[in-house]
Amino acid sequence: MIFFANTFKEKKFYKLLSDKKNVIFDFGCGVGIWNKSNLNKKIKKIFLYDKNEKAILEAKKKYKRNKKIFFIKKKNFFNNKIFFKKNKIDIILINSVIQYIAKTELKKILTMLDKNNLNSRYKIIITDIPIHNRIIEIFLLLFFDFNRFLDALKLLINFSYHKTLFYHNSIDMIFLEKIFNVKEYQNLNKFKFRKTLILTKKN
């Protein structure tokens, strides 16, 4: 199933970047959250990765004319360090996907990202982290974001969506704080009842 781009707040995201040209790795990019033609001057490159091949096909159509956006294959990312050796990644963005990743799997992903990335000053930005379970979220949307509430109802009657698992507690803070400095930040998506975490490497 393809989850279409949500309301990612690009301008607020750009405030978290350094003034130099940043290289971004968008993990779980879906169909793409970035402006298809104009990217902020702080961005040098964006690498997109998603295991959903249909979503990647949609993203490739969207960004076919954007020379700053590149796509990476799964084998080049998970099986070796070649990708990270060739590209000094400044920002790893995990946007609105951890609710579909189990806690143990998320630990493996974050450990792998930390181990492979050779840039000691990088940040991992995890956005749209659920605080409540799916039913409570839908109830809150009814009162605070009716348009997104209608979108949520469409998902609920979609059979393929029923097969997705939803985790609102996949973040293990004890694990995170052993490896990273952790800062909580406002959600970088429109839904205010979720949050963002910013992880930086401990010295």
Side-chain angles (χ1 to χ4, degrees):
M1 179 178 182
I2 297 177
F3 295 89
F4 288 93
N6 52 19
T7 50
F8 182 70
K9 298 178 179 178
E10 276 190 72
K11 290 182 179 179
K12 287 191 175 180
F13 171 76
Y14 293 143
K15 290 179 181 179
L16 300 175
L17 304 183
S18 64
D19 290 331
K20 71 181 186 66
K21 297 289 187 178
N22 292 268
V23 178
I24 297 170
F25 175 52
D26 185 349
F27 176 87
C29 64
V31 298
I33 58 172
W34 310 99
N35 189 300
K36 63 181 180 181
S37 55
N38 274 322
L39 287 174
N40 190 280
K41 61 182 180 180
K42 291 182 178 182
I43 294 178
K44 181 180 180 181
K45 293 179 181 179
I46 300 177
F47 292 95
L48 302 186
Y49 165 80
D50 201 293
K51 67 178 182 179
N52 187 327
E53 294 181 1
K54 291 182 179 178
I56 287 295
L57 287 174
E58 291 291 330
K60 284 183 176 179
K61 292 176 186 177
K62 183 176 180 179
Y63 298 116
K64 63 182 179 181
R65 296 181 180 178
N66 195 313
K67 295 182 179 180
K68 287 186 176 182
I69 291 182
F70 303 86
F71 296 85
I72 62 173
K73 296 180 179 179
K74 184 176 180 179
K75 64 179 182 179
N76 292 336
F77 172 59
F78 281 100
N79 296 342
N80 55 61
K81 295 184 178 181
I82 293 175
F83 168 72
F84 289 98
K85 285 182 178 179
K86 288 183 177 179
N87 304 283
K88 190 176 180 181
I89 303 298
D90 300 291
I91 303 290
I92 296 169
L93 177 66
I94 304 175
N95 175 56
S96 198
V97 292
I98 70 158
Q99 60 268 38
Y100 307 112
I101 304 174
K103 185 179 289 186
T104 53
E105 183 63 21
L106 183 61
K107 284 183 181 180
K108 291 178 184 177
I109 291 170
L110 293 175
T111 301
M112 180 274 300
L113 290 171
D114 179 60
K115 180 180 179 182
N116 287 350
N117 194 5
L118 302 179
N119 181 1
S120 61
R121 296 185 178 182
Y122 79 99
K123 294 178 183 177
I124 297 178
I125 300 176
I126 308 174
T127 76
D128 219 31
I129 301 169
I131 299 170
H132 308 289
N133 65 40
R134 190 150 41 182
I135 299 302
I136 294 176
E137 279 199 343
I138 292 172
F139 179 77
L140 291 170
L141 286 171
L142 174 62
F143 295 99
F144 296 98
D145 191 342
F146 189 71
N147 287 333
R148 190 164 175 175
F149 170 75
L150 294 177
D151 289 338
L153 288 183
K154 292 176 185 177
L155 287 176
L156 285 179
I157 62 174
N158 188 309
F159 179 74
S160 61
Y161 183 69
H162 288 188
K163 294 188 286 186
T164 63
L165 297 176
F166 185 95
Y167 305 92
H168 72 281
N169 60 350
S170 58
I171 296 286
D172 185 335
M173 291 301 295
I174 296 174
F175 164 77
L176 285 187
E177 289 171 351
K178 286 181 179 178
I179 304 175
F180 303 102
N181 299 307
V182 182
K183 179 182 178 182
E184 188 169 325
Y185 193 72
Q186 61 185 290
N187 193 16
L188 293 179
N189 285 274
K190 189 177 179 182
F191 193 19
K192 64 181 179 180
F193 296 102
R194 292 185 178 185
K195 64 183 179 180
T196 291
L197 290 180
I198 302 171
L199 314 180
T200 53
K201 185 76 173 176
K202 283 191 172 181
N203 296 327

